[in-house]
Amino acid sequence: MANLCLITVICLLGTIINSAYSARVVCYWDGRSFWREGVAKITVEEIKPALTYCTHLIYGFAAIDDDDYNLEPIDKKLDLDKDKGHSQYKQVTALKRAFPGLTVLLSVGGYADTDDPEKYLTLLESKDHQTKFINSVKTYLTKHEFDGIDLAWQFPQVKEKKERSTIGSIWHKIKKTFGSEVDEKAAEHKDQFITLLRDLKAVLRTDGRFISLGVLPHVNSSLYYDVKAITPYLDMINLWTVDFRTPKRTPQQADYSAPLYYIYDRNPQQNVDANVRWWIDQGADAHKVIVGIPTYGHKWKMTLDSAISGVPPITADGPGPAGPHTKSEGLVAYYETCPLIVSPTNVKAASDMLRRVTDPSKRLGTYAYRLPDKKKGEEEGVWVSFEEPETAAYKAQYAKSKGLGGVAVIELSLDDPRGMCDGTKYPIVKSAKVNL
Ligand SMILES: *[C@@H]1O[C@H](CO)[C@@H](O)[C@H](O)[C@H]1NC(C)=O
């Protein structure tokens, strides 16, 4: 009896503390990790250990049908498969029974919807298309019991600015006159997006469903988001403060991928803090702004010309080789990086071990590298910018100190779902959670 009493008191206390500061841990999960093989295969079952930390699970990704502008699953077999009764949509929303506090959203876009990216603009341009989309969102959410929608809207991406030689700059001027990369109707799209959110809110309000915005990397926010106008319709704004520098965008230059602070002369927006400040300055409610934290790293090839110190930015030669499990060039899951880090307890002395370099200033992040072994006649090394529990902690502390709404972890399957690094499952999600 006494024990029960004590437990009740502790629980009550916990509830009071939680309601005083209800920071959100938003967890994005790309359900297509179901199709990977071996340890990389992550299903609803493997997601469960993360859900003791996550307050919101955002399941990705849905697409938009480019004919009728309805929301549609990106992978019908996986998401709806009625024949075998394995609908991942159903399985994901059923998690709410085991985790009663969990809010489960469906995300549309997220750069996963690769067919005809123009449709994210043409949808906005017609009232009729907007209505079709809104109605299909309502239908999908209701049918599959999602608590809301995350609009990770695929607005056009800004191209990486290049260092230009004289010849290059002439070419640039020619391209500019053709206006090929410019959205001439950006101002209209910005207004139309307000309408979309307003009408979507009106339709979803009746059954209390949630709307979040996923602000994708490389979208010029000032072109497309009228922050004051859209914030009232949004429950949260997930800033995907990831992928500022990737081997695809800057193949010749390896650099910190998702620094907290960092002033690039040419790209002052390419860090977490600059993005957060922009949204707050534009009038977003701080408690709705969520800081994105990647779980993966970006890997470049080092060359014989790369500086031997490893200090970024360094000369590189495109994406590094794919990770052994996720098999995607230039990208590595945290659990693929951690076993390669040289440490006193990790003395495998394998030839592919990486030297980890942390950043005591807590502003830039961690990287790890291996120089080409000249004695063996190697011409290539690797350089990885990656997130780890320590850097995720800094970002969570940052969100807390600024009174923001919390953090968004992108994405679960590339953390360490099986505890392969040190036995802890989801060490990055956990670190973010305990530091909020
Ligand atoms: C974003 O758009 C604004 C205009 O609204 C422009 O001044 C700015 O240079 C753009 N930023 C980038 C990185 O293209």
Side-chain angles (χ1 to χ4, degrees):
M1 189 64 201
N3 274 348
L4 191 66
C5 212
L6 198 64
I7 289 168
T8 316
V9 170
I10 292 170
C11 289
L12 276 178
L13 217 63
T15 316
I16 291 163
I17 292 167
N18 275 340
S19 56
Y21 187 70
S22 55
R24 289 164 170 169
V25 181
V26 177
C27 298
Y28 277 89
W29 175 35
D30 186 340
R32 292 171 300 170
S33 61
F34 175 90
W35 297 119
R36 292 204 200 106
E37 289 170 359
V39 298
K41 180 186 179 82
I42 301 302
T43 72
V44 170
E45 214 35 53
E46 280 78 42
I47 290 303
K48 287 178 182 169
L51 302 181
T52 51
Y53 311 122
C54 308
T55 58
H56 296 67
L57 176 63
I58 304 194
Y59 183 74
F61 288 91
I64 295 173
D65 185 314
D66 53 2
D67 284 332
D68 61 14
Y69 296 95
N70 284 330
L71 187 76
E72 64 171 12
I74 220 161
D75 186 333
K76 289 200 178 69
K77 184 165 167 46
L78 181 67
D79 292 331
L80 300 182
D81 198 348
K82 294 188 198 79
D83 306 336
K84 283 185 262 156
H86 171 272
S87 155
Q88 204 152 263
Y89 277 176
K90 285 275 183 228
Q91 290 187 328
V92 163
T93 53
L95 287 167
K96 286 187 277 176
R97 290 195 270 281
F99 300 90
L102 187 69
T103 301
V104 183
L105 312 179
L106 178 62
S107 183
V108 54
Y111 293 144
D113 183 7
T114 48
D115 280 349
D116 180 22
E118 275 286 304
K119 67 196 172 191
Y120 283 84
L121 300 179
T122 50
L123 183 151
L124 296 176
E125 289 163 9
S126 144
K127 189 78 199 152
D128 184 40
H129 296 163
Q130 288 206 15
T131 306
K132 280 186 174 153
F133 175 72
I134 290 171
N135 290 338
S136 68
V137 169
K138 186 178 168 76
T139 308
Y140 259 94
L141 298 185
T142 311
K143 185 166 174 207
H144 300 285
E145 300 178 75
F146 283 101
D147 297 311
I149 185 96
D150 175 60
L151 302 172
W153 209 256
Q154 295 179 186
F155 284 116
Q157 299 182 49
V158 177
K159 296 272 187 301
E160 189 68 26
K161 286 183 192 160
K162 292 209 173 68
E163 290 283 6
R164 285 190 294 270
S165 65
T166 321
I167 295 168
S169 68
I170 292 166
W171 172 237
H172 182 75
K173 278 186 195 127
I174 294 168
K175 269 212 321 216
K176 225 175 169 172
T177 20
F178 284 119
S180 56
E181 296 168 11
V182 185
D183 175 6
E184 304 287 352
K185 293 190 279 184
E188 290 158 50
H189 293 140
K190 189 185 205 173
D191 281 343
Q192 290 154 352
F193 196 64
I194 305 172
T195 318
L196 178 75
L197 286 177
R198 186 196 63 205
D199 295 350
L200 184 63
K201 180 72 184 171
V203 167
L204 297 187
R205 184 183 278 130
T206 46
D207 38 357
R209 292 199 204 272
F210 207 92
I211 306 178
S212 72
L213 178 67
V215 179
L216 296 181
H218 313 303
V219 170
N220 185 344
S221 289
S222 62
L223 287 181
Y224 294 107
Y225 300 119
D226 184 332
V227 177
K228 273 219 175 66
I230 61 175
T231 302
Y233 307 124
L234 297 169
D235 296 286
M236 52 186 195
I237 300 163
N238 301 317
L239 304 183
W240 286 43
T241 40
V242 300
D243 303 346
F244 294 116
R245 296 267 154 154
T246 71
K248 282 213 181 80
R249 290 180 68 88
T250 59
Q252 313 303 330
Q253 197 181 64
D255 208 341
Y256 296 105
S257 280
L260 187 47
Y261 301 91
Y262 201 23
I263 304 304
Y264 287 104
D265 300 338
R266 289 175 298 126
N267 294 301
Q269 281 299 117
Q270 290 188 341
N271 64 76
V272 176
D273 180 61
N275 282 268
V276 168
R277 274 189 293 120
W278 186 85
W279 281 84
I280 302 291
D281 290 348
Q282 296 292 312
D285 307 331
H287 72 272
K288 289 186 181 177
V289 174
I290 311 285
V291 174
I293 301 179
T295 52
Y296 49 88
H298 289 290
K299 192 198 248 179
W300 281 261
K301 259 184 232 161
M302 274 181 110
T303 70
L304 293 172
D305 297 332
S306 305
I308 54 159
S309 67
V311 178
I314 64 163
T315 305
D317 183 23
H325 305 293
T326 53
K327 299 185 175 128
S328 177
E329 194 180 51
L331 193 126
V332 273
Y334 177 56
Y335 67 83
E336 290 173 313
T337 304
C338 76
L340 297 179
I341 302 294
V342 177
S343 78
T345 55
N346 195 356
V347 285
K348 277 188 290 183
S351 59
D352 57 352
M353 295 298 273
L354 304 173
R355 216 185 116 205
R356 168 176 173 261
V357 183
T358 58
D359 162 36
S361 77
K362 303 185 180 182
R363 297 172 69 87
L364 305 172
T366 299
Y367 63 88
Y369 70 102
R370 178 175 57 80
L371 296 171
D373 189 342
K374 284 190 198 152
K375 276 185 243 146
K376 289 188 190 157
E378 270 182 1
E379 295 190 351
E380 282 171 12
V382 295
W383 194 95
V384 190
S385 168
F386 68 107
E387 205 72 25
E388 53 179 359
E390 199 174 312
T391 52
Y394 305 151
K395 290 178 180 174
Q397 287 156 5
Y398 168 90
K400 186 177 179 180
S401 73
K402 300 264 171 182
L404 305 179
V407 297
V409 177
I410 306 163
E411 61 89 56
L412 290 179
S413 77
L414 301 176
D415 187 343
D416 181 14
R418 298 174 188 276
M420 289 159 62
C421 296
D422 71 354
T424 308
K425 291 179 178 175
Y426 295 99
I428 293 178
V429 184
K430 182 182 178 187
S431 172
K433 163 77 181 175
V434 299
N435 282 283
L436 265 180

